[in-house]
Amino acid sequence: MTATRTERRTKIAKARNVLGEVISRARFAGEATILVNRGKEAAVIVPFDFYERATEALGEERVLIESEDD
């Protein structure tokens, strides 16, 4: 049995204005948001646990690069 994941599509400009809401939906509702730029998918905001499981399943090593703001 496979789980169903809800997704939204939104333009990057619109998501920028409600970024906190997009992050909250990912974090608390498990919802992915597909960011669209000029009609093409550009990126996806997903829950962190989904990202962790995906990188593990792909056998990818994660290397953390700290931002200057941290």
Side-chain angles (χ1 to χ4, degrees):
M1 185 167 121
T2 59
T4 301
R5 179 171 300 277
T6 59
E7 298 180 344
R8 289 183 189 259
R9 286 175 53 94
T10 188
K11 293 179 180 179
I12 292 174
K14 182 177 179 185
R16 188 179 295 128
N17 293 331
V18 291
L19 185 58
E21 182 181 321
V22 171
I23 292 169
S24 291
R25 284 196 309 257
R27 184 175 184 191
F28 299 113
E31 183 177 281
T33 299
I34 301 165
L35 302 177
V36 180
N37 186 22
R38 297 182 180 168
K40 294 183 182 179
E41 292 85 3
V44 181
I45 296 176
V46 296
F48 188 73
D49 68 316
F50 180 86
Y51 168 75
E52 284 183 312
R53 289 183 285 123
T55 55
E56 185 177 311
L58 293 169
E60 294 181 351
E61 181 180 345
R62 294 171 42 206
V63 178
L64 179 61
I65 299 172
E66 296 287 339
S67 73
E68 294 176 11
D69 297 337
D70 293 340

